[in-house]
Amino acid sequence: MEFIYSHNLTVDGREILLHIWDVPNSQEQAEDGSSEEKRIQWADSFVLVYSICDRASFNILPLKIQFIKAAKEGQSQEKVPIVIVGNKRDLHHQRVVSSEEGRLLALSLDCGFYEVSAAEAYHGALMVFHGLAKLIPDTKLALKKGTGIRGIVKTMSAVFARKRTDSL
């Protein structure tokens, strides 16, 4: 299932409201490319997560990043903020993707890189979003400031060309 989360974050004295659209990889693979492209148009930045215990989740990243960059950078000259995150660092005994592989991939694709354990503590995820927020241009942040749940629903409805039927 997909979820949208909102989170306020203060980075370098800037108050940032993040709207996080969490789409499981298995769902993306089952859909056509147009739905994924609509999600890409909605977002200003991207966090792509793979499991250090799952080579397939790592191997799909270059294609996803290429797809994102083609869709976003064709519209703008700005660099697309993308962070690659290796998750499940606590399962190092089951590791099949080394930290070095993750770092090299991120470097070769001009992305940020983190390795975390979401199961151990929230600090790793917080570090990822702080790093991502530093990559987002101030102009993008100013446009999104103050957007609440209604704004999210309207934006998503516009992205998917559906009329709002809720009564928020």
Side-chain angles (χ1 to χ4, degrees), residues 7 10-12 20 23 34 43 51 56 88 91 103 129 133-135 137-138 142 150 152 155 168:
H7 181 72
T10 303
V11 177
D12 297 334
I20 303 158
V23 180
S34 65
S51 167
K88 301 189 180 185
L91 300 178
R103 281 189 191 89
F129 286 107
K134 289 179 180 184
L135 299 175
D138 286 337
R150 288 184 179 165
I152 296 170
T155 301
L168 290 176

Short mmCIF file of all heavy atoms in Angstrom, two decimals, residues 7 10-12 20 23 34 43 51 56 88 91 103 129 133-135 137-138 142 150 152 155 168:
data_model
loop_
_atom_site.label_atom_id
_atom_site.label_comp_id
_atom_site.label_asym_id
_atom_site.label_seq_id
_atom_site.Cartn_x
_atom_site.Cartn_y
_atom_site.Cartn_z
N HIS A 7 5.94 15.71 7.54
CA HIS A 7 6.86 15.90 8.66
C HIS A 7 7.50 17.27 8.57
O HIS A 7 7.98 17.66 7.50
CB HIS A 7 7.94 14.81 8.63
CG HIS A 7 8.90 14.90 9.76
ND1 HIS A 7 8.57 14.58 11.05
CD2 HIS A 7 10.20 15.29 9.79
CE1 HIS A 7 9.62 14.76 11.83
NE2 HIS A 7 10.62 15.19 11.09
N THR A 10 13.55 21.17 10.66
CA THR A 10 14.34 22.40 10.65
C THR A 10 15.76 22.04 10.26
O THR A 10 16.41 21.25 10.94
CB THR A 10 14.31 23.10 12.02
OG1 THR A 10 12.96 23.36 12.39
CG2 THR A 10 15.09 24.40 11.98
N VAL A 11 16.21 22.61 9.16
CA VAL A 11 17.55 22.35 8.64
C VAL A 11 18.22 23.69 8.37
O VAL A 11 17.71 24.49 7.60
CB VAL A 11 17.51 21.50 7.36
CG1 VAL A 11 18.90 21.29 6.80
CG2 VAL A 11 16.82 20.17 7.60
N ASP A 12 19.35 23.91 9.01
CA ASP A 12 20.10 25.17 8.84
C ASP A 12 19.21 26.39 9.03
O ASP A 12 19.28 27.35 8.26
CB ASP A 12 20.78 25.21 7.46
CG ASP A 12 21.80 24.11 7.27
OD1 ASP A 12 22.35 23.63 8.28
OD2 ASP A 12 22.06 23.73 6.10
N ILE A 20 5.92 13.03 2.19
CA ILE A 20 6.62 11.83 1.75
C ILE A 20 5.61 10.85 1.18
O ILE A 20 4.70 10.41 1.88
CB ILE A 20 7.39 11.21 2.94
CG1 ILE A 20 8.35 12.25 3.52
CG2 ILE A 20 8.12 9.94 2.49
CD1 ILE A 20 8.74 11.97 4.94
N VAL A 23 5.89 4.59 -1.80
CA VAL A 23 5.34 3.62 -2.74
C VAL A 23 6.22 2.37 -2.70
O VAL A 23 7.41 2.45 -3.02
CB VAL A 23 5.34 4.18 -4.17
CG1 VAL A 23 4.77 3.16 -5.15
CG2 VAL A 23 4.57 5.48 -4.24
N SER A 34 3.25 5.16 -16.85
CA SER A 34 2.61 6.47 -16.73
C SER A 34 2.30 6.83 -15.28
O SER A 34 2.42 7.98 -14.89
CB SER A 34 1.35 6.54 -17.59
OG SER A 34 0.37 5.65 -17.11
N ALA A 43 6.90 15.01 -7.28
CA ALA A 43 7.97 15.15 -6.29
C ALA A 43 9.03 16.15 -6.69
O ALA A 43 9.30 16.35 -7.87
CB ALA A 43 8.61 13.78 -6.04
N SER A 51 17.50 -2.78 0.13
CA SER A 51 17.91 -3.59 1.26
C SER A 51 19.32 -4.11 1.01
O SER A 51 19.58 -4.65 -0.07
CB SER A 51 16.96 -4.78 1.44
OG SER A 51 17.51 -5.72 2.34
N ALA A 56 18.60 -7.69 -5.78
CA ALA A 56 17.66 -7.21 -6.80
C ALA A 56 17.18 -5.79 -6.50
O ALA A 56 17.02 -4.98 -7.41
CB ALA A 56 16.47 -8.17 -6.91
N LYS A 88 18.64 -1.76 6.47
CA LYS A 88 18.85 -3.03 7.18
C LYS A 88 20.31 -3.25 7.56
O LYS A 88 20.80 -4.36 7.59
CB LYS A 88 18.30 -4.22 6.38
CG LYS A 88 16.82 -4.08 6.09
CD LYS A 88 16.23 -5.32 5.52
CE LYS A 88 14.74 -5.07 5.28
NZ LYS A 88 14.04 -6.24 4.83
N LEU A 91 21.32 -5.99 9.86
CA LEU A 91 21.40 -7.38 9.40
C LEU A 91 22.69 -7.62 8.62
O LEU A 91 22.69 -8.29 7.59
CB LEU A 91 20.18 -7.70 8.53
CG LEU A 91 18.82 -7.56 9.21
CD1 LEU A 91 17.69 -7.85 8.23
CD2 LEU A 91 18.72 -8.46 10.43
N ARG A 103 28.07 3.25 -2.11
CA ARG A 103 28.76 4.54 -2.26
C ARG A 103 29.20 4.78 -3.71
O ARG A 103 29.05 5.89 -4.24
CB ARG A 103 29.98 4.61 -1.34
CG ARG A 103 29.65 4.91 0.07
CD ARG A 103 30.91 5.18 0.89
NE ARG A 103 30.57 5.20 2.29
CZ ARG A 103 30.57 4.13 3.09
NH1 ARG A 103 30.91 2.95 2.61
NH2 ARG A 103 30.22 4.23 4.35
N PHE A 129 16.82 12.53 5.75
CA PHE A 129 15.96 13.64 5.36
C PHE A 129 16.64 14.99 5.58
O PHE A 129 16.42 15.93 4.80
CB PHE A 129 14.61 13.55 6.04
CG PHE A 129 13.76 12.47 5.44
CD1 PHE A 129 13.53 11.29 6.12
CD2 PHE A 129 13.23 12.61 4.17
CE1 PHE A 129 12.77 10.28 5.55
CE2 PHE A 129 12.47 11.61 3.58
CZ PHE A 129 12.25 10.44 4.28
N ALA A 133 17.14 17.47 2.48
CA ALA A 133 16.65 18.84 2.56
C ALA A 133 17.73 19.85 2.18
O ALA A 133 17.44 20.88 1.57
CB ALA A 133 16.13 19.13 3.96
N LYS A 134 18.98 19.54 2.48
CA LYS A 134 20.08 20.44 2.12
C LYS A 134 20.29 20.48 0.61
O LYS A 134 20.86 21.44 0.09
CB LYS A 134 21.36 20.01 2.81
CG LYS A 134 21.33 20.28 4.30
CD LYS A 134 22.61 19.84 4.97
CE LYS A 134 22.54 20.11 6.46
NZ LYS A 134 23.79 19.79 7.14
N LEU A 135 19.83 19.46 -0.10
CA LEU A 135 19.98 19.41 -1.55
C LEU A 135 18.85 20.11 -2.30
O LEU A 135 18.98 20.41 -3.48
CB LEU A 135 20.05 17.95 -2.02
CG LEU A 135 21.19 17.10 -1.50
CD1 LEU A 135 21.03 15.65 -1.97
CD2 LEU A 135 22.53 17.66 -1.93
N PRO A 137 16.68 23.07 -3.52
CA PRO A 137 16.86 24.53 -3.64
C PRO A 137 15.82 25.30 -2.82
O PRO A 137 14.67 24.86 -2.69
CB PRO A 137 16.66 24.80 -5.14
CG PRO A 137 16.79 23.48 -5.80
CD PRO A 137 16.42 22.44 -4.80
N ASP A 138 16.22 26.43 -2.28
CA ASP A 138 15.32 27.27 -1.49
C ASP A 138 14.08 27.66 -2.28
O ASP A 138 12.99 27.79 -1.71
CB ASP A 138 16.03 28.54 -1.03
CG ASP A 138 17.02 28.27 0.09
OD1 ASP A 138 16.87 27.26 0.79
OD2 ASP A 138 17.95 29.09 0.26
N ALA A 142 10.23 27.29 -0.85
CA ALA A 142 9.34 28.43 -0.68
C ALA A 142 7.98 28.17 -1.33
O ALA A 142 6.95 28.55 -0.82
CB ALA A 142 9.97 29.68 -1.27
N ARG A 150 -5.03 19.39 2.68
CA ARG A 150 -5.87 19.73 1.53
C ARG A 150 -5.03 20.01 0.29
O ARG A 150 -5.39 19.61 -0.82
CB ARG A 150 -6.75 20.93 1.85
CG ARG A 150 -7.84 20.59 2.81
CD ARG A 150 -8.75 21.73 3.05
NE ARG A 150 -9.78 21.28 3.99
CZ ARG A 150 -10.57 22.06 4.64
NH1 ARG A 150 -10.50 23.36 4.48
NH2 ARG A 150 -11.45 21.58 5.48
N ILE A 152 -2.13 18.74 -0.33
CA ILE A 152 -1.61 17.46 -0.80
C ILE A 152 -2.66 16.74 -1.62
O ILE A 152 -2.39 16.24 -2.71
CB ILE A 152 -1.18 16.56 0.38
CG1 ILE A 152 -0.04 17.19 1.16
CG2 ILE A 152 -0.76 15.17 -0.11
CD1 ILE A 152 0.25 16.48 2.47
N THR A 155 -3.10 18.46 -4.96
CA THR A 155 -1.95 18.20 -5.83
C THR A 155 -2.01 16.79 -6.39
O THR A 155 -1.83 16.58 -7.59
CB THR A 155 -0.63 18.41 -5.06
OG1 THR A 155 -0.60 19.75 -4.58
CG2 THR A 155 0.56 18.17 -5.96
N LEU A 168 -12.66 17.14 3.16
CA LEU A 168 -11.67 17.55 4.16
C LEU A 168 -11.93 18.92 4.67
O LEU A 168 -12.19 19.83 4.04
CB LEU A 168 -10.25 17.49 3.56
CG LEU A 168 -9.74 16.10 3.29
CD1 LEU A 168 -8.38 16.18 2.63
CD2 LEU A 168 -9.60 15.32 4.58
#
